[in-house]
Amino acid sequence: MNNETNNKKKKKSFLHLLFINMFGTGKQKLSMLEEEQMQGPIRNIVKNFKSNKISMTGLIVFILIFIGVIVGPFIFKLDLSYTETSQQNVAPGQSFLKVPKSLNGKAEQISVGPTFSIAVTDDGQLYMWGKTKISKTINLKYVPKQMGKIVRVSAGYDHILALNEEGKLFAWGSDRQRQCAIPSDVAGLTNIVDIVAGYQCSVVLTADGKSYFFGNSSNNDYLTAHPYQGQLTKVAITSDAVMGLTKDGQAVYLGSQKNSYNKVPEFKSKIIDIATTASTMAAVDDQGQVYVWGNVSERGEGRFPAFDEKITSLQGGRYHYAALTENGNVYAWGYDNYNQATVPDKVTDADIKAVYTGFYQNYAITEDGSVLPWGLKGYILGSDELGRDILNRIVNGGRMSMTIGAISVVISTFIGVIIGSLSGFFGGKVDMVLQRVVEIVSALPFLPFAMILSALLGNSLTSTQRIYLMMVVLGVLQWPSLSRLVRAQVLAAREMEFVTAAKAVGIKSMTIVFKHILPNVISVIIVSATLDFATCMLIEATLSYLGFGVPAPQPTWGNMLYGSNNSIVIQNFWWRWVFTSIILGICVICINLTGDGLRDAIDPKSQER
Amino acid sequence: MIKYISKRIMFMVFVFFIMSLVMFFLYNLIPGDPARAELEPIKNTLTLEEYQRRYESLRAQMGLDDPTIVKYGKWIGGVLQGDLGNSIRYKKPVIDLVKEPMKNTIFINIFAMMLALGITIPLGIICAVKRNSLFDNSVQVGTIVGYSLPPFIIALISIFLFAVTLGWFPVSGMNTPNFKGTGLAFFVDRMYHLALPLFVMTLSSLGGMTRYVRAAMIESLRMDYIRTARAKGLREKVVIYSHAWRNALLPVITLIIGWFINIFAGSLVVEEMFSLNGMGSFYMDALRNQDYNIALAVQMFYMIVALVGNLVIDLSYGLVDPRVRVNR
């Protein structure tokens, strides 16, 4: 006693107290007699569990993950149909908008690629930032040597064009469609004024209004002998077509096919600027009126706001436009999934000289030369083979995985408890029949059986129905072990006095089983359900990984790993499997730790004193 | 005893028929017309009447117009005579196709099992003897990690580490392509290719087995006869390995046989990942290509192995521990 009061007098630090309250260590140990006299079974279990540091940590981590996947989907909205070819297999990091500090005040022109941006300063220096690695061998940061003073750059889908002050053209990056192979007639030109790099193609514009095209001409609709040769002042490229602006202020289509790009609207006056997104074209006339045509989608390229100032220049991203007015204000509209069409306050407040837009990034250059970026910063955990954000899919997939696990456990616990308790309590013929059923179900080899069910039944089902199928298959095949456990417990409880007493009073058998006996074995059921939850999640993941579980595009932690089974993905796109594996592993480990801790806490025999 | 065994075998046969019936009906739910598929290649060379006539005779010949129960009767009759039907994809009897993968699976699994048992039994015993020591606690945490990670994650990590980054082992396959050696050279080449899959299979089964052995050992170390043995002054080694271990063997035997059953089903993932020509990838290929005769045959095989395995487990109780009377 003396000792204890001494201990209490010692001053404890805040952290220590916090730790004690969280994990319950450091509390005075009671002798076995005291403990059993003073505490009820539930309190005893809770106390035992709290004193187990490993299990407690497991529980806390699991709760954090659980909250993350329950709350997360409200923040990270899931769009099942979303795919974006320009954002495939992007490495983790948020460097897309990390403009080098030394560029501030000197930026002359910026050009934006899918995951990278390139800028040229007024003294001809090149700056590049973002993810420049295109493939294992192609990396855009390996700029050709001795280019001299660069005056203009253009970033395409996976290649870059640069023009030096002597009018010489340079190209580097992916050359699969010969978009970097400068033809001899272009190489001989000395009067190039503009360069545009697009998707697998490059276009060069000369001072006398002629355009030259090289690269993939089957994907891009471009007519070499188009009727506007000699009249062009600007060209712009969608992902499959080329448009031009003539000297007399007309927006013209430079291809040969008839399509929605040809439907150039009637303009009331002279056009001063043109821009394109992936599939639309836009122009602004000298009255400040904007026109958008082409394959205008649901994403909102055509829904431009009302302007009360005159627009002087127009820029197009992947699915959005940004416009600069004569007073230096910036407007943006269109697809806003990465906030690329939401102009931030710092840009609204500043006086903007120029705006550069491409794909999902925007850069505004202020009058004093500083660069203000907004839009897509990058992907914290990278992106997958269809350009989807892995973090988003982990969060949403986690919710799906846990839902499947939880519902399967509910189903299997329900079946297991009912069969186990009936079998245990009634014995005799009921027990005989039920035990044979248990044997049949437990004799089924689990994984092959679940696979054949999924393969046979799954083909005719929609993806949502297959998710339900998954839950039912897991639930219906999991219960035998629990039912055996419950049966054994009920068999023991059946002989106790309180059951005899209940029988003597004349309570119905069913009431005895489910109201009197079951609460006494509930602890075993909880432990078993916890461990089964982990098992169900694992099996779902394995099945989905093999392609027999929940089908894409609905994400689960298992099917996110589907397709990562080859050495190219394993090594080059490691982020596609590492993060998902880690979170799945941690989650299952935590559930198992919690379950083990619970079992130790409930069954003091297993806890060696 | 004989009565018990015959009762069990009767039950097994009953379960087998019930399950085969269920599987066959499931399989028949799938839409598809094998007769039409059979005739499709020569469709253009036939006149319409000729096609129709051939189609109908083929349907009759294949028994497609029979009620499902008759079809089942024909199929199960064939199965009982060792005829598992023909593969739609390979146009060969299933029984011939299945031999090679089965040989490979058994080969791989026997190695994996020996490795795993060689590690887990000593480890489990040490943990049980030194329970609650630092060693035991860290092994306990390690085993939880081990059985919580699904085999495919362990396989992904080990491919990344040992095959792709370090380049010690091949990523997949069972032999070097066009390998011509025989005898020992062939064996060495095969083991070189199987090293990584074996490693993964062993590692992924360590966790659960070690815990099992440890639990069984702790249980038997707590018994009164151990106290008696110690009180007699027996050496600790004798107490552990002769008295305790023998009595812990009962649950461990269950484990080993249980694992033997899973040999055929459990290596599905590993075989698929390392593209080994085993039962698992054979089965999965069949499911993917909708070659359901093969899938059904393999499924039936899995069922038989599981049923026989369960019987062997129950019988082995009686052999290992005479106190256990199986014929309750």
Side-chain angles (χ1 to χ4, degrees), chain B residues 11 21 29 34 44 127 151 159 209 221 259 282 284:
Chain B
F11 175 66
L21 193 65
L29 285 179
N44 291 337
C127 283
I159 292 178
M209 283 169 79
L221 277 175
W259 207 55
F282 185 64
M284 236 171 312

Side-chain angles (χ1 to χ4, degrees), chain A residues 314-327:
Chain A
L314 205 56
Q315 289 276 325
R318 184 80 171 159
Y319 298 110
H320 76 290
Y321 285 104
L324 179 67
T325 65
E326 55 188 354
N327 300 334

Side-chain angles (χ1 to χ4, degrees), chain B residues 42-259:
Chain B
I42 51 167
K43 192 180 174 184
N44 291 337
T45 61
L46 300 173
T47 62
L48 200 62
E49 292 97 53
E50 175 77 6
Y51 176 78
Q52 194 61 31
R53 199 181 55 75
R54 280 231 209 163
Y55 174 68
E56 264 153 30
S57 73
L58 203 59
R59 270 190 81 90
Q61 190 193 331
M62 287 174 138
L64 291 174
D65 298 320
D66 297 340
T68 315
I69 192 76
V70 177
K71 280 195 253 178
Y72 171 74
K74 282 182 186 167
W75 174 75
I76 198 78
V79 169
L80 292 178
Q81 289 162 21
D83 171 23
L84 294 172
N86 281 328
S87 153
I88 298 163
R89 188 156 166 246
Y90 300 99
K91 313 261 180 241
K92 270 185 192 164
V94 173
I95 198 94
D96 295 340
L97 289 169
V98 85
K99 277 177 190 156
E100 179 70 21
M102 192 183 283
K103 220 172 67 190
N104 290 333
T105 298
I106 293 174
F107 180 79
I108 298 164
N109 277 284
I110 284 177
F111 270 97
M113 189 165 154
M114 289 194 308
L115 278 173
L117 287 178
I119 299 172
T120 49
I121 289 179
L123 198 63
I125 294 177
I126 296 172
C127 283
V129 172
K130 299 183 176 178
R131 68 169 182 272
N132 287 343
S133 66
L134 183 66
F135 177 77
D136 178 40
N137 283 338
S138 40
V139 170
Q140 285 305 295
V141 174
T143 53
I144 290 186
V145 174
Y147 78 74
S148 298
L149 287 181
F152 63 86
I153 287 184
I154 298 177
L156 278 173
I157 296 169
S158 47
I159 292 178
F160 179 68
L161 280 183
F162 300 116
V164 179
T165 312
L166 296 172
W168 288 352
F169 299 108
V171 178
S172 63
M174 291 199 76
N175 276 104
T176 315
N178 301 322
F179 186 75
K180 288 274 160 33
T182 48
L184 190 65
F186 182 81
F187 182 76
V188 168
D189 183 63
R190 171 146 294 188
M191 286 321 282
Y192 169 65
H193 277 76
L194 289 185
L196 210 49
L198 281 179
F199 173 75
V200 172
M201 283 173 77
T202 312
L203 204 65
S204 56
S205 55
L206 280 187
M209 283 169 79
T210 309
R211 289 176 75 82
Y212 214 92
V213 174
R214 176 181 178 270
M217 198 62 191
I218 285 181
E219 193 62 34
S220 74
L221 277 175
R222 210 187 266 139
M223 294 289 171
D224 289 337
Y225 58 78
I226 296 294
R227 204 175 304 140
T228 315
R230 287 205 176 116
K232 280 197 302 190
L234 284 181
R235 274 182 299 128
E236 194 62 21
K237 264 199 179 140
V238 178
V239 173
I240 291 168
Y241 293 104
S242 181
H243 287 65
W245 168 238
R246 266 225 209 136
N247 284 286
L249 210 60
L250 180 62
V252 174
I253 292 260
T254 321
L255 170 81
I256 295 172
I257 297 170
W259 207 55

